[in-house]
Amino acid sequence: MTSFRDVQRRLLLSHGSNFIEDEEFLILYDLFEPRNPDFPHEAYAKFDLDEMAESESLAEFRFRKRDILSLAEVLDIPDTIRCDQRSICGGIEGLCMLLRRLSYPCRYGDMIQRFAKPVPLFSMVTNILIDHIYAIHGRRLTQWNLDILSPDHLEMYTAAITSRGSPLENCLGFINGTVRPIARPGENQRFFYNGHKQVHALTFQSVVLPNGLIGNMYGPVGEK
């Protein structure tokens, strides 16, 4: 698949060989200007999980190397991931891309040095894996609250909180808010601006249960 950058290189060669005139060259070169930044992904070594230190894997993916292999088996990650435009990526590498992307904060451009792949491929692979995981394990999310918020569990949560000295006998969790910064929007900037953090952001509010799990999530909402 020919990229805009490849077209520009060929235009330069054609212009240097006097195949096209100056005016035609300027128009075509500007027309095929890449929309995404040109990251030199070819300059980096290919991804190899075995070559990474254990501390690097834990810091970048939040999983140890052996746990990533177990996670791939549990999630039924395919050995090969094929994108619509015929790009191919290994299953373990694709899972590592997804784990890196989900580690906050992380942009696709931050992943180039580790995986030596172009930015569009990161987007395609991570989206394919998210759809794959949800298709197989989505029921675990949609049916989760039926278990952790059952009457028996609610009584257990209130008993645990009361036993630690709480004056309330019907408290089952604790409200927690999280501010997630976002890029400055083109419209309604004031609505998303957080004066305390001094960033544009979305706010999430959740009820955290005594066992550390989230019992309810509300959001995202703007700041005002």
Side-chain angles (χ1 to χ4, degrees):
M1 182 177 179
T2 303
S3 66
F4 280 10
R5 186 63 64 190
D6 292 333
V7 174
Q8 285 189 324
R9 294 193 185 100
R10 294 179 183 181
L11 288 172
L12 287 170
L13 292 174
S14 299
H15 182 259
S17 301
N18 296 322
F19 289 143
I20 56 177
E21 298 179 355
D22 294 345
E23 184 177 355
E24 184 180 7
F25 167 75
L26 292 174
I27 294 174
L28 291 175
Y29 194 86
D30 183 67
L31 179 64
F32 288 98
E33 180 70 24
R35 295 179 176 86
N36 297 317
D38 186 22
F39 296 105
H41 62 273
E42 303 93 343
Y44 301 106
K46 293 184 178 181
F47 174 78
D48 188 347
L49 183 61
D50 294 333
E51 293 295 326
M52 293 183 64
E54 201 70 57
S55 57
E56 290 179 314
S57 177
L58 190 60
E60 295 187 27
F61 309 136
R62 299 186 180 179
F63 284 88
R64 290 182 170 85
K65 293 193 291 186
R66 64 176 182 274
D67 296 331
I68 291 177
L69 300 178
S70 299
L71 186 63
E73 182 178 356
V74 170
L75 295 178
D76 196 20
I77 302 298
D79 295 333
T80 303
I81 301 170
R82 300 181 184 276
C83 302
D84 291 339
Q85 40 70 279
R86 300 182 182 180
S87 293
I88 297 177
C89 177
I92 296 297
E93 182 177 12
L95 177 60
C96 290
M97 289 181 186
L98 179 60
L99 294 175
R100 181 69 182 95
R101 174 61 174 167
L102 296 179
S103 298
Y104 177 82
C106 177
R107 299 173 297 179
Y108 288 128
D110 301 330
M111 300 164 58
I112 293 175
Q113 186 172 358
R114 171 58 66 190
F115 297 101
K117 295 286 195 301
V119 167
L121 186 64
F122 296 142
S123 178
M124 289 184 286
V125 170
T126 53
N127 285 335
I128 289 173
L129 279 183
I130 289 174
D131 291 341
H132 172 79
I133 293 172
Y134 187 80
I136 298 176
H137 304 283
R139 57 183 175 81
R140 303 180 187 276
L141 297 176
T142 57
Q143 300 176 6
W144 181 255
N145 281 2
L146 299 179
D147 182 33
I148 66 173
L149 295 182
S150 65
D152 292 340
H153 280 85
L154 294 179
E155 290 185 7
M156 182 177 63
Y157 302 148
T158 56
I161 295 173
T162 303
S163 67
R164 297 302 296 261
S166 171
L168 301 175
E169 297 182 355
N170 59 351
C171 179
L172 58 90
F174 307 91
I175 297 176
N176 182 36
T178 300
V179 175
R180 292 298 188 187
I182 61 173
R184 184 177 64 184
E187 300 179 358
N188 302 319
Q189 295 182 15
R190 181 175 297 181
F191 181 78
F192 293 100
Y193 186 74
N194 184 291
H196 175 65
K197 299 289 186 177
Q198 296 185 349
V199 294
H200 291 87
L202 294 174
T203 299
F204 296 83
Q205 193 172 69
S206 63
V207 175
V208 182
L209 303 174
N211 56 11
L213 299 177
I214 294 177
N216 180 266
M217 173 74 76
Y218 175 73
V221 296
E223 296 297 321
K224 295 181 181 179

